[in-house]
C-alpha cells in the first residue's frame, strides 16, 4: 500500500471520520511545514506515556504513574453521588458546568441495541465493582445515568438499571437519569452549560 493510502486508513479509524476527510488530513499534513508534522508525531508518541487512565473511574488524566485521578483522590469530592457517562469528552463538559461535584465512571461506550456481548462494549464488571466499593467505603447514595438521548443511549440506560438492580435491592441507593432536562437527540458532549445545569437540576 502506498503511504498516502496507508495513513488514510489510520485516520479513517478516528471517530466520525470517513474516507474523504481522512484523505484531506493526509494532504493537509503534506502541505504543512515539516516541523509541524514532526512535532505532531512526537506528541502522539508522548501521549501514552504522559496520560494514564484512573483505575477506579477510567478517566484519562496527566500523571507519571498509575494512581487515582484528581476526582477519585480529592477529599472534597462528594462521594455520595456517582455520575455514569459514556466518554471522557462528556466529563470535560460536565466539569465545565461547575454544578456537579461528585464521582464519575466512564462506561467506555454505549450498549448496541442488538448484541449478546455487552461487556465488549461497556465496562459492566468494572462498574459493578466501583458501585459496590463506593457503597462500602464512601456510603454512595445516588447513581446518575447521564447518557446521550438517542435510542442507543436510552437502551444503555435501561440496560444499566437492570444490571444495577440486584445491588440496588441489596443496598438501597437511588438511580436517576439525566434525560428530563435534555431534548431528544441531545449528546452530552455537545451540550452547553445551561443545558447541563438544567439536566442535572431536573434529574429524575
Ligand atoms: Zn478516578
Amino acid at each position: 500500500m502506498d503511504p498516502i493510502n496507508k495513513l488514510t486508513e489510520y485516520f479513517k479509524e478516528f471517530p466520525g471520520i470517513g474516507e474523504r476527510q481522512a484523505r484531506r488530513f493526509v494532504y493537509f499534513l503534506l502541505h504543512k511545514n515539516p516541523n509541524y508534522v514532526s512535532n505532531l508525531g512526537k506528541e502522539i508518541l508522548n501521549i501514552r506515556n504522559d496520560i494514564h487512565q484512573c483505575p477506579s473511574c477510567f478517566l484519562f488524566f496527566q500523571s507519571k504513574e498509575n494512581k487515582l485521578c484528581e476526582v477519585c483522590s480529592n477529599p472534597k469530592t462528594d462521594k455520595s453521588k456517582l455520575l455514569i457517562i459514556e466518554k471522557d469528552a462528556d466529563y470535560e463538559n460536565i466539569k465545565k458546568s461547575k454544578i456537579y461535584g461528585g464521582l464519575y465512571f466512564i462506561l467506555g461506550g454505549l450498549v448496541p441495541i442488538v448484541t449478546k456481548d455487552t461487556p465488549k462494549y461497556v465496562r459492566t464488571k468494572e462498574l459493578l465493582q466501583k458501585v459496590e466499593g463506593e457503597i462500602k467505603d464512601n456510603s454512595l447514595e445516588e447513581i446518575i445515568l447521564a447518557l446521550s438521548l438517542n435510542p442507543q443511549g436510552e437502551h444503555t440506560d435501561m440496560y444499566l438499571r437492570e444490571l444495577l438492580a440486584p445491588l440496588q435491592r441489596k443496598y438501597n441507593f437511588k438511580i436517576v437519569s439525566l434525560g428530563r432536562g435534555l431534548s431528544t437527540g441531545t449528546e452530552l458532549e455537545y451540550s452547553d452549560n445551561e443545558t447541563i445545569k438544567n439536566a442535572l437540576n431536573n434529574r429524575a
Side-chain angles (χ1 to χ4, degrees):
M1 209 191 279
D2 81 78
I4 289 177
N5 286 336
K6 212 165 165 182
L7 194 53
T8 302
E9 288 303 313
Y10 277 100
F11 283 134
K12 266 169 68 183
E13 289 193 30
F14 283 45
I17 300 302
E19 168 88 32
R20 259 176 51 177
Q21 279 165 308
R23 208 158 274 274
R24 275 176 63 194
F25 287 175
V26 176
Y27 284 104
F28 167 79
L29 291 175
L30 287 170
H31 283 109
K32 267 309 221 194
N33 78 49
N35 264 342
Y36 177 92
V37 180
S38 99
N39 286 336
L40 174 65
K42 257 186 254 158
E43 292 303 333
I44 290 175
L45 290 175
N46 283 343
I47 198 155
R48 291 305 293 256
N49 294 330
D50 295 345
I51 304 288
H52 287 96
Q53 203 165 26
C54 175
S56 179
C57 71
F58 295 91
L59 206 66
F60 281 109
F61 70 112
Q62 192 172 1
S63 87
K64 287 286 163 223
E65 66 214 89
N66 225 354
K67 49 179 190 178
L68 291 178
C69 73
E70 60 189 15
V71 180
C72 292
S73 63
N74 190 342
K76 284 188 188 144
T77 298
D78 175 2
K79 293 187 173 149
S80 70
K81 293 184 177 61
L82 176 68
L83 188 81
I84 302 181
I85 46 179
E86 181 194 340
K87 54 190 181 302
D88 283 74
D90 299 336
Y91 161 74
E92 304 271 341
N93 230 352
I94 290 169
K95 190 178 154 197
K96 253 195 295 180
S97 78
K98 294 203 176 89
I99 189 175
Y100 179 75
L103 293 162
Y104 291 83
F105 184 84
I106 316 279
L107 206 54
L110 293 175
V111 182
I113 290 168
V114 185
T115 181
K116 286 184 181 135
D117 196 11
T118 305
K120 216 173 91 188
Y121 299 93
V122 298
R123 301 187 175 103
T124 49
K125 196 179 81 216
E126 295 86 345
L127 175 63
L128 292 172
Q129 270 169 10
K130 170 84 173 167
V131 170
E132 195 150 25
E134 294 300 340
I135 288 168
K136 287 180 177 157
D137 301 343
N138 297 311
S139 46
L140 178 72
E141 289 165 11
E142 182 182 12
I143 292 183
I144 307 161
L145 302 173
L147 305 159
S148 293
L149 262 197
N150 53 35
Q152 218 187 331
E154 280 162 31
H155 175 69
T156 307
D157 187 294
M158 264 165 35
Y159 177 88
L160 293 180
R161 281 174 184 269
E162 274 171 37
L163 180 79
L164 293 166
L167 280 182
Q168 195 181 20
R169 278 195 293 274
K170 194 168 164 192
Y171 297 109
N172 193 28
F173 51 84
K174 206 156 72 171
I175 302 181
V176 299
S177 300
L178 209 57
R180 293 280 165 88
L182 298 168
S183 49
T184 308
T186 304
E187 290 198 30
L188 221 49
E189 183 180 352
Y190 305 112
S191 298
D192 57 54
N193 272 353
E194 268 321 292
T195 310
I196 289 176
K197 272 184 203 166
N198 281 338
L200 276 163
N201 286 331
N202 297 319
R203 64 185 188 263

